[in-house]
């Protein structure tokens, strides 16, 4: 089996996205790699396909339990053998995974970085043929990164303790050049293939607002998107509680997530969101790294985050399926004071770090806060500001952010008042229409198509409930939309729909084809 067969059979796609094929080829040739690819750009596929083609097993170092569970569930749903080892498992369950690993039951094993430091796991891996080690969310290794995690610093020691050094690849969505340098150095990557596919997410609309009443603004935004899946980020647990309660009082199906809840409640609330039993998740930044819910249609920051890396990663949880999504920041000067309070608190904490290290960390945090504040108050194109921060060039205007829209609207108003307004207004309207077309990023559906799509959604919901899976693990929204547009009437035609692999076609195909036939009739 080759990479194209795997791409089609397990993932249901006929072609790779930009950068994926070159990266996969490089890894398969035995070369280390650093991949910086935006959220939703298909990073996980870039280590899962090599894992299936390389001999032995692949270890995936991942920072969060929820991320591991989601990834493994998705792999199993596609027919790929995978497991995770983390603190959510009992001792007996871990021993079972160890025993099955020795028998060669898995191609991919997901572990937290702390697991690499245990003698039992190191001993197990020293027995196995570890051909590939993928480090997900690799920016966690850098103190310049927004999610520094000291346990990531032990990954290189673990690799060096293996009998044979595996291929090592690092993956992240948000890494400045400084963070990229840290990843290369601290993971000891050897002559790596480096790929930065770009940070732009054309389907995301960026919006900054400075409302007098934040909750009124939030409620209005969510009311416009009733029954759409979204995340609201707040700076503190108390704000999460207050906002979630207020949204529920308005009849919005909201739930909450923060570190002050019990493990059971956090998991229940996350499941309610993942399975679409609740449409809005109100959370601190404890929620989200690696959250793989493709149909999040909006992310609203009720408070300004501490840096642009955090903002772009959190906002990037919207629109992972490529469909249009909105990212809104509700800014106030009080947010800056709150973040400075947390920086000072970290400086005063007795965490065992030397004073000079803490002082340097505080200086870096202040520097990142400065750029976050600039973004929140700039009159410039918001997309361009973000791309420039991550080292990319950008056009002066994107046409798909609130600043560009406002400037275009202001220009139109002036042109309408001017004597020669006619020609200039027409050109401006054309630019705006082009921007809206880019933002839409989707073919329009007819009334009949919408009816068919509703039937496909209903079937997906029943199948997902029956198997106790999040709906998107059956098929994601974008795949259902293509079914409604193209109306396949055979398994062969169904396999031409992006996102329909052979395993899923065999498992679900006939039921979806029946719904299509009932709605549109046979040709």
């Amino acid at each position: 089996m080759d990479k194209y067969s795997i791409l089609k059979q397990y993932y249901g796609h006929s072609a790779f996205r930009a950068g994926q094929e070159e990266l996969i080829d490089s890894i398969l040739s035995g070369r280390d790699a650093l991949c910086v690819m935006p959220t939703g750009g298909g990073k996980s596929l870039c280590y899962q396909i090599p894992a299936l083609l390389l001999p032995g097993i692949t270890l995936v170092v991942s920072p969060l339990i929820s991320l591991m569970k989601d990834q493994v569930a998705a792999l199993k749903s596609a027919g790929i053998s995978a497991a995770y080892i983390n603190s959510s498992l009992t001792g007996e369950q871990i021993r079972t995974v160890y025993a099955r690993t020795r028998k060669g039951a898995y191609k991919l094993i997901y572990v937290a970085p702390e697991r690499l430091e245990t003698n039992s796991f190191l001993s197990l891996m020293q027995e196995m043929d570890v051909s590939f080690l993928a480090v997900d969310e690799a920016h966690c290794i850098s103190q310049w990164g927004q999610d520094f995690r000291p346990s990531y610093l032990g990954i290189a020691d673990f690799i060096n303790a293996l009998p044979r050094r595996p291929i090592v690849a690092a993956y992240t969505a948000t890494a400045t050049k400084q963070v990229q340098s840290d990843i290369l150095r601290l993971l000891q990557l050897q002559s790596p293939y480096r790929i930065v596919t770009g940070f732009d997410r054309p389907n995301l609309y960026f919006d900054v607002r400075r409302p007098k009443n934040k909750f009124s603004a939030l409620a209005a935004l969510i009311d416009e998107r009733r029954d759409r899946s979204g995340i609201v980020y707040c700076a503190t647990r108390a704000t999460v509680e207050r906002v979630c309660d207020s949204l529920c009082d308005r009849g919005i199906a909201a739930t909450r997530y923060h570190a002050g809840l019990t493990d059971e409640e956090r998991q229940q609330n996350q499941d309610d969101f993942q399975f679409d039993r609740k449409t809005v998740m109100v959370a601190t930044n404890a929620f989200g790294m690696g959250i793989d819910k493709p149909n999040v249609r909006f992310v609203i920051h009720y408070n300004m985050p501490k840096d642009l890396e955090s903002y772009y990663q959190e906002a990037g949880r919207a629109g992972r399926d490529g469909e249009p999504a909105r990212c809104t920041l509700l800014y106030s000067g009080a947010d800056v004071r709150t973040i400075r309070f947390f920086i000072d608190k970290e400086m005063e904490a007795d965490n065992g770090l030397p004073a000079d290290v803490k002082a340097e960390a505080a200086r870096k945090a202040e520097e990142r806060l400065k750029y976050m504040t600039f973004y929140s108050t700039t009159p410039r194109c918001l997309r361009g500001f973000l791309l420039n921060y991550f080292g990319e060039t950008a056009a002066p205007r994107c046409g798909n952010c609130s600043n560009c829209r406002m400037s275009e609207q202001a220009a139109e108003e002036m042109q309408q008042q001017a004597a020669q307004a006619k020609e200039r207004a027409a050109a401006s309207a054309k630019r705006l229409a082009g921007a809206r077309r880019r933002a839409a990023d989707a073919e329009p559906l007819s009334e009949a198509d919408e009816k068919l799509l509703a039937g496909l959604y209903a079937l997906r919901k029943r199948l997902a409930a029956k198997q106790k899976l999040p709906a998107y693990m059956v098929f994601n929204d974008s795949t259902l939309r293509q079914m409604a547009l193209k109306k396949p009437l055979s398994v062969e035609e169904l396999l031409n729909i992006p996102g329909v692999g052979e395993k899923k076609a065999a498992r679900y195909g006939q039921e979806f084809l029946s719904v299509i036939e009932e709605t549109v009739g046979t040709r």
Side-chain angles (χ1 to χ4, degrees):
M1 186 174 287
D2 61 18
K3 62 190 176 189
Y4 300 109
S5 303
I6 290 174
L7 180 68
K8 185 60 182 174
Q9 179 174 337
Y10 293 109
Y11 300 92
H13 297 292
S14 301
F16 288 100
R17 295 183 187 177
Q20 287 181 326
E21 186 171 10
E22 298 89 337
L23 176 59
I24 290 167
D25 287 344
S26 178
I27 292 167
L28 292 175
S29 74
R31 191 174 174 188
D32 286 357
L34 169 61
C35 169
V36 183
M37 193 176 283
T39 303
K43 291 185 297 297
S44 57
L45 183 146
C46 293
Y47 56 77
Q48 290 170 0
I49 288 183
L52 295 174
L53 289 169
L54 289 167
I57 61 173
T58 289
L59 287 182
V60 182
V61 180
S62 180
L64 290 180
I65 289 172
S66 58
L67 170 58
M68 296 184 212
K69 288 181 175 178
D70 285 351
Q71 292 267 350
V72 170
L75 287 167
K76 287 181 175 178
S77 175
I80 297 170
S81 60
Y84 58 80
I85 304 171
N86 58 43
S87 58
S88 72
L89 302 181
T90 65
E92 183 59 35
Q93 288 172 324
I94 290 174
R95 285 189 287 275
T96 299
V97 174
Y98 278 24
R100 288 177 58 80
T101 299
R102 287 188 171 94
K103 292 178 181 177
Y106 310 115
K107 285 299 291 179
L108 294 100
I109 300 176
Y110 286 72
V111 294
E114 291 81 6
R115 181 68 47 182
L116 306 183
E117 299 169 359
T118 63
N119 291 330
S120 60
F121 185 75
L122 176 59
S123 296
L124 173 65
M125 290 301 107
Q126 287 174 331
E127 297 174 31
M128 307 304 299
D129 177 18
V130 181
S131 58
F132 182 34
L133 188 143
V135 182
D136 204 5
E137 308 292 352
H139 60 271
C140 291
I141 203 169
S142 171
Q143 276 191 297
W144 266 111
Q146 74 279 15
D147 293 306
F148 174 57
R149 189 152 165 174
S151 54
Y152 266 65
L153 296 172
I155 296 174
D157 289 339
F158 171 82
I159 293 168
N160 293 332
L162 295 174
R164 180 175 67 87
R165 186 184 185 280
I167 304 161
V168 182
Y171 301 81
T172 181
T174 49
T176 60
K177 290 183 179 178
Q178 175 67 57
V179 173
Q180 291 175 42
S181 297
D182 282 355
I183 292 170
L184 295 171
R185 176 173 57 84
L186 295 169
L187 285 178
Q188 300 175 14
L189 299 184
Q190 299 178 3
S191 303
Y193 175 78
R194 297 178 64 170
I195 181 165
V196 180
T197 61
F199 291 90
D200 193 15
R201 298 276 305 284
N203 62 312
L204 299 185
Y205 176 86
F206 292 101
D207 181 19
V208 174
R209 302 187 181 193
R210 303 174 208 174
K212 291 180 179 178
N213 184 311
K214 277 196 178 185
F215 184 76
S216 296
L218 173 70
L221 284 165
I222 293 178
D223 282 341
E224 291 171 8
R225 294 161 183 79
R226 285 274 181 163
D227 303 322
R228 308 304 294 275
S229 184
I231 303 171
V232 178
Y233 280 107
C234 303
T236 66
R237 300 176 191 180
T239 309
V240 167
E241 295 286 346
R242 186 175 73 251
V243 169
C244 185
D245 288 345
S246 298
L247 290 176
C248 290
D249 289 344
R250 291 177 62 90
I252 293 166
T255 189
R256 60 195 176 140
Y257 192 105
H258 59 70
L261 304 177
T262 63
D263 290 346
E264 293 75 17
E265 187 173 0
R266 279 201 305 273
Q267 188 59 55
Q268 179 61 51
N269 293 352
Q270 180 168 323
D271 287 348
D272 284 346
F273 181 63
Q274 290 281 85
F275 284 78
D276 295 313
R277 294 188 288 263
K278 301 287 187 180
T279 56
V280 178
M281 173 63 80
V282 186
T284 62
N285 62 5
F287 177 79
M289 186 188 288
I291 289 297
D292 189 20
K293 183 174 168 59
N295 66 332
V296 174
R297 297 270 66 86
F298 64 89
V299 170
I300 300 171
H301 280 81
Y302 195 76
N303 304 108
M304 185 184 78
K306 58 188 171 69
D307 49 50
L308 281 169
E309 290 90 343
S310 299
Y311 176 71
Y312 201 53
Q313 186 176 63
E314 290 160 11
R317 284 159 198 152
R320 290 175 66 104
D321 55 5
E323 297 291 314
R326 191 180 191 101
C327 308
T328 302
L329 169 61
L330 303 179
Y331 170 77
S332 77
D335 296 333
V336 180
R337 293 189 290 275
T338 300
I339 295 167
R340 287 216 168 94
F341 168 78
F342 284 125
I343 293 172
D344 292 341
K345 195 174 177 182
E346 191 68 27
M347 273 287 291
E348 295 165 4
D350 184 14
N351 53 17
L353 292 174
D356 61 333
V357 173
K358 289 202 288 186
E360 178 64 9
R363 186 188 69 78
K364 290 173 179 175
E366 279 282 353
E367 183 76 5
R368 292 195 296 268
L369 172 59
K370 178 178 73 174
Y371 282 100
M372 185 70 245
T373 308
F374 287 167
Y375 171 83
S376 304
T377 56
T378 184
R380 287 174 47 199
C381 169
L382 296 174
R383 175 173 273 100
F385 191 101
L386 286 165
L387 295 178
N388 291 163
Y389 179 79
F390 288 109
E392 286 191 22
T393 56
R397 292 186 180 182
C398 72
N400 196 31
C401 76
S402 57
N403 285 358
C404 286
R405 291 284 177 89
M406 282 191 291
S407 66
E408 287 176 356
Q409 288 166 5
E412 286 174 5
E413 288 170 5
M414 290 177 66
Q415 289 162 357
Q416 286 167 3
Q417 295 169 5
Q420 296 84 21
K422 207 169 182 180
E423 289 183 12
R424 295 198 297 271
S428 177
K430 187 176 180 181
R431 288 198 306 274
L432 184 55
R436 284 177 176 151
R437 282 196 299 275
R438 291 193 298 276
D441 196 30
E443 289 182 65
L445 293 177
S446 68
E447 189 174 335
D449 292 342
E450 291 285 2
K451 182 180 176 183
L452 172 55
L453 184 59
L456 297 174
Y457 276 136
L459 172 60
R460 182 181 70 172
K461 186 175 181 179
R462 291 196 299 273
L463 292 173
K466 186 177 178 181
Q467 297 175 77
K468 297 182 179 178
L469 288 173
Y472 66 82
M473 285 190 183
V474 177
F475 290 119
N476 67 34
D477 289 7
S478 150
T479 297
L480 294 188
R481 186 182 180 87
Q482 287 300 309
M483 287 187 197
L485 282 166
K486 296 180 180 175
K487 304 172 186 61
L489 293 173
S490 68
V491 173
E492 291 72 22
E493 291 179 357
L494 188 66
L495 284 166
N496 289 324
I497 301 293
V500 181
E502 291 178 12
K503 297 284 184 182
K504 288 191 177 182
R507 185 175 302 165
Y508 308 121
Q510 288 304 327
E511 291 176 90
F512 280 89
L513 290 170
S514 295
V515 170
I516 296 169
E517 287 172 4
E518 288 170 12
T519 306
V520 303
T522 56
R523 289 173 184 161

